[in-house]
């Protein structure tokens, strides 16, 4: 069955540095991959989508890469700010498109 | 613009009691609707999804059920709650005709079963 793995350990970085989060998946070749942000006690919010034929996608200070050979996506936040502190989830569509599986997420802490 | 509502925001229920969580979506028609549960520090577990009125697909065998009595209303129910039903319940919707299935989540319901 399809699996998504995200680093369960929290990532602590200093303000201004680049945060890099990893999402690995197995037994699957998704047409696209999504990243969401989740704040404590809130529902996830969609951030970015990257398609299988795209190597890189950018949105403001966010950058996502998608390596279908490695079966891996990297999520970067440049010039990180304390307000970027949250849990970031990667998500993949299942066959048929109606369902999505989510990783457990990586908690990011940005220190001022 | 589209909005999604869930209620209640928090709920404390005794074991064996019934449950009814409601989710409504505004500003869109014929959405795909989803119920997820998130245990503390865990990922999202898909419980049910619906592509139309009265159409419910269950992902995990359990004592929960879902119904979609109206196009933009999705209800999660249980006749008898278990301790293991505690968690954060999230409703979400996506565009039925979209090919990227971006999901929009509600604010969630924190359920504690004692």
């Amino acid at each position: 069955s399809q699996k998504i793995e995200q680093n369960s350990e929290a990532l602590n970085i200093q303000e201004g540095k680049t945060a890099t989060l990893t999402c690995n998946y197995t037994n699957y070749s998704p047409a696209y991959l999504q990243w969401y942000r989740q704040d404590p006690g809130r529902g996830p919010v969609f951030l970015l989508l990257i398609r299988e034929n795209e190597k890189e996608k950018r949105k403001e200070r966010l950058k996502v890469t998608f390596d279908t050979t490695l079966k891996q996506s990297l999520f970067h936040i440049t010039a990180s700010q304390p307000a970027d502190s949250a849990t970031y989830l990667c998500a993949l569509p299942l066959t048929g498109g109606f369902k999505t599986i989510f990783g457990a997420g990586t908690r990011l802490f940005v220190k001022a | 613009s589209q909005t999604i509502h869930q209620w209640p925001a928090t709920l404390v229920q005794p074991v064996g009691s019934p449950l009814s969580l409601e989710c409504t979506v505004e500003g869109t028609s014929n959405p795909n609707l989803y119920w997820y549960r998130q245990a503390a520090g865990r990922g999202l577990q898909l419980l049910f999804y619906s592509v139309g009125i009265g159409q419910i697909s269950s992902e995990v065998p359990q004592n929960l059920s879902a119904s979609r009595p109206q196009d933009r209303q999705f209800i999660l129910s249980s006749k008898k709650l278990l301790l293991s039903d505690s968690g954060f319940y999230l409703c979400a919707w996506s565009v039925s005709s979209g090919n990227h299935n971006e999901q929009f989540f509600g604010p969630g319901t924190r359920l504690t079963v004692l």
Side-chain angles (χ1 to χ4, degrees):
Chain A
S1 63
Q2 300 92 346
K3 285 187 177 180
I4 300 179
E5 292 182 354
Q6 292 186 257
N7 193 342
S8 59
E9 292 183 13
L11 179 62
N12 292 280
I13 64 168
Q14 200 66 35
E15 182 177 12
K17 300 294 184 182
T18 296
T20 299
L21 286 70
T22 304
C23 175
N24 295 294
Y25 58 93
T26 57
N27 302 324
Y28 195 40
S29 296
Y32 59 85
L33 183 146
Q34 302 171 337
W35 282 91
Y36 290 76
R37 168 182 172 144
Q38 185 175 22
D39 291 289
R42 309 286 293 273
V45 175
F46 172 80
L47 295 175
L48 278 172
L49 177 148
I50 185 166
R51 299 178 180 83
E52 61 180 340
N53 61 350
E54 297 176 314
K55 295 296 183 184
E56 182 179 297
K57 196 80 168 280
R58 291 177 184 262
K59 179 182 177 182
E60 298 174 350
R61 294 184 295 110
L62 308 180
K63 185 179 84 170
V64 173
T65 62
F66 194 10
D67 190 325
T68 55
T69 301
L70 292 178
K71 295 188 181 295
Q72 181 182 80
S73 175
L74 298 179
F75 178 82
H76 306 272
I77 305 176
T78 59
S80 59
Q81 304 167 0
D84 295 326
S85 299
T87 296
Y88 292 87
L89 311 173
C90 70
L92 299 172
L94 293 180
T95 304
F98 295 123
K99 297 186 291 185
T100 300
I101 56 170
F102 287 82
T106 298
R107 187 76 191 271
L108 172 66
F109 293 96
V110 181
K111 299 178 182 178
Chain B
S1 63
Q2 302 90 358
T3 55
I4 179 169
H5 305 277
Q6 280 187 250
W7 64 90
T10 59
L11 191 60
V12 180
Q13 292 285 95
V15 169
S17 63
L19 173 73
S20 180
L21 303 181
E22 189 161 344
C23 171
T24 59
V25 181
E26 297 176 355
T28 188
S29 296
N30 194 32
N32 296 327
L33 294 172
Y34 308 84
W35 277 112
Y36 291 89
R37 177 170 60 203
Q38 187 175 36
R42 305 287 294 275
L44 297 172
Q45 178 188 28
L46 179 63
L47 302 175
F48 301 93
Y49 71 95
S50 171
V51 299
I53 296 175
Q55 301 178 59
I56 308 295
S57 295
S58 174
E59 289 298 298
V60 182
Q62 56 211 331
N63 67 319
L64 300 172
S65 63
S67 62
R68 185 171 177 173
Q70 300 181 43
D71 181 45
R72 289 167 289 178
Q73 184 184 30
F74 206 22
I75 298 172
L76 182 69
S77 303
S78 174
K79 292 182 179 178
K80 288 186 178 182
L81 283 168
L82 307 172
L83 286 174
S84 58
D85 291 324
S86 294
F88 190 46
Y89 288 81
L90 288 158
C91 179
W93 72 273
S94 68
V95 176
S96 59
S97 58
N99 59 359
H100 294 139
N101 202 30
E102 172 186 345
Q103 298 199 14
F104 302 90
F105 286 84
T109 295
R110 176 75 58 190
L111 172 66
T112 303
V113 182
L114 301 174

